[in-house]
Amino acid sequence: MRLILLGPPGAGKGTQAEILKEKLGIPHISTGDMLRQVLKEDSPLSKKVKRFVERGELVPDEIILEIMKQRLSSADTEKGFILDGFPRTIKQAQGLEQLLKKMNKQIDLVLYFATSVEKIIERLSGRLVCSRCGMNYHLKNMPPKEEGVCDKCGGELSQREDDQEETVRKRIDVYLKQTAELIEFYKSKGILRTLDANRDAQEVYKELIRLFEKEGFNLKSNDFHKISERAESHA
Ligand code: AP5
């Protein structure tokens, strides 16, 4: 299955992608995570990318498309993938189409996470991220079992630099100006499905599973319970 998770910052794309990747057995590909990895390096690319991410602006399409070209040619994407945070502009969407066409592949579904601005601010101001494995938490909605420590790997939890309120507002603005038009782009292709992402993570997850079943994707019901445990424990 080849999926795109589309939606504003803080919509819960990364949270659902982490659960779905286990359920579906396909990789979660987040351009945000990939860029944060690049930022840890001391390289010309890192210097170029830094100023855009810090300001909450989009990194230029050429850079993103080159990164994705390499990532999508990896063997682990053969059975499918979950794209999170990509594409973010019409140019990126067209670039993705061309890339996939060369591989004789296409996107099956675009899942649009509809979320209100109040929810976005509330979620991002409380988000904590593991510095080691990247797992997401929320101070109130999805707290770790032990304060400041990742449940999964024991790494230290901290706030993302671009989750400061001023940068979050900028990211929302950028989303509305440059990314929201992708909703119409994919709607016109008949592959966009909208989810109410204002609800808690367990509800959103259940709606996703219902949607896959309605669309005819064959999901094994026996591992549903196991995989939904994390969402349930945070509900
Ligand atoms: P990126 O990392 O992609 O950030 P984003 O799209 O702004 O998305 P977020 O990670 O903030 O939100 P999310 O929807 O994944 O929510 P999450 O699940 O974490 O991009 C960062 C930057 O990189 C960009 O600003 C840009 O500069 C650059 N960039 C990246 N991709 C690019 C591209 N393609 N082109 C150009 N530039 C690019 O959830 C948020 C919080 O809410 C968490 O604390 C979580 O625990 C909690 N939560 C999640 N779901 C729920 C729920 N249902 N109920 C309650 N709480 C919830």
Side-chain angles (χ1 to χ4, degrees):
M1 196 183 318
R2 287 179 283 273
L3 303 172
I4 291 176
L5 308 192
L6 175 66
K13 306 179 298 292
T15 300
Q16 296 298 330
E18 276 301 298
I19 306 171
L20 283 178
K21 75 170 186 190
E22 294 180 43
K23 172 79 179 164
L24 305 174
I26 50 179
H28 165 201
I29 301 178
S30 155
T31 38
D33 288 347
M34 289 162 87
L35 292 170
R36 281 184 285 281
Q37 273 307 114
V38 167
L39 289 179
K40 287 182 187 165
E41 300 161 6
D42 181 19
S43 65
L45 178 62
S46 163
K47 287 191 185 84
K48 238 185 202 172
V49 162
K50 195 170 189 284
R51 59 197 167 105
F52 294 103
V53 175
E54 274 181 356
R55 291 195 297 229
E57 290 169 6
L58 294 186
V59 171
D61 292 333
E62 299 69 36
I63 295 180
I64 297 293
L65 284 168
E66 187 50 42
I67 291 176
M68 288 309 287
K69 190 175 163 191
Q70 289 177 25
R71 182 64 186 90
L72 291 177
S73 60
S74 303
D76 68 337
T77 62
E78 214 28 64
K79 272 169 56 191
F81 46 75
I82 306 165
L83 298 181
D84 162 15
F86 172 86
R88 252 171 155 103
T89 61
I90 297 284
K91 202 168 162 203
Q92 289 183 17
Q94 290 166 338
L96 173 66
E97 262 179 3
Q98 284 166 14
L99 262 177
L100 293 178
K101 202 170 168 194
K102 282 186 196 146
M103 300 179 199
N104 257 331
K105 291 175 181 169
Q106 59 186 26
I107 295 296
D108 295 306
L109 282 178
V110 178
L111 304 164
Y112 166 47
F113 284 54
T115 327
S116 68
V117 171
E118 299 77 58
K119 280 279 174 200
I120 297 172
I121 306 274
E122 184 221 306
R123 287 181 188 171
L124 294 187
S125 59
R127 171 162 60 186
L128 295 170
V129 182
C130 174
S131 52
R132 201 183 294 163
C133 73
M135 180 68 96
N136 266 330
Y137 297 86
H138 189 278
L139 273 172
K140 229 172 61 198
N141 306 332
M142 300 187 193
K145 289 184 185 120
E146 189 185 334
E147 199 183 316
V149 180
C150 178
D151 295 351
K152 198 173 150 196
C153 74
E156 195 186 332
L157 303 182
S158 60
Q159 199 187 23
R160 246 168 67 174
E161 280 199 19
D162 60 349
D163 280 348
Q164 308 290 337
E165 188 167 335
E166 198 187 326
T167 317
V168 169
R169 289 197 183 274
K170 170 80 186 188
R171 284 160 60 202
I172 296 172
D173 199 41
V174 166
Y175 167 80
L176 292 172
K177 287 195 179 122
Q178 299 185 62
T179 307
E181 58 188 348
L182 288 176
I183 298 168
E184 282 308 315
F185 180 88
Y186 285 117
K187 205 184 264 178
S188 71
K189 294 181 186 293
I191 54 173
L192 186 104
R193 305 289 179 271
T194 302
L195 298 149
D196 175 4
N198 284 314
R199 294 169 304 160
D200 69 39
Q202 184 194 10
E203 288 305 315
V204 177
Y205 177 70
K206 283 184 179 164
E207 189 180 340
L208 275 170
I209 297 302
R210 275 195 297 271
L211 196 146
F212 291 143
E213 286 172 346
K214 196 170 144 208
E215 295 290 331
F217 290 102
N218 209 356
L219 303 175
K220 282 188 231 129
S221 56
N222 57 344
D223 59 6
F224 172 85
H225 185 70
K226 196 175 101 223
I227 302 301
S228 62
E229 254 169 32
R230 179 164 190 265
E232 274 165 18
S233 69
H234 290 308

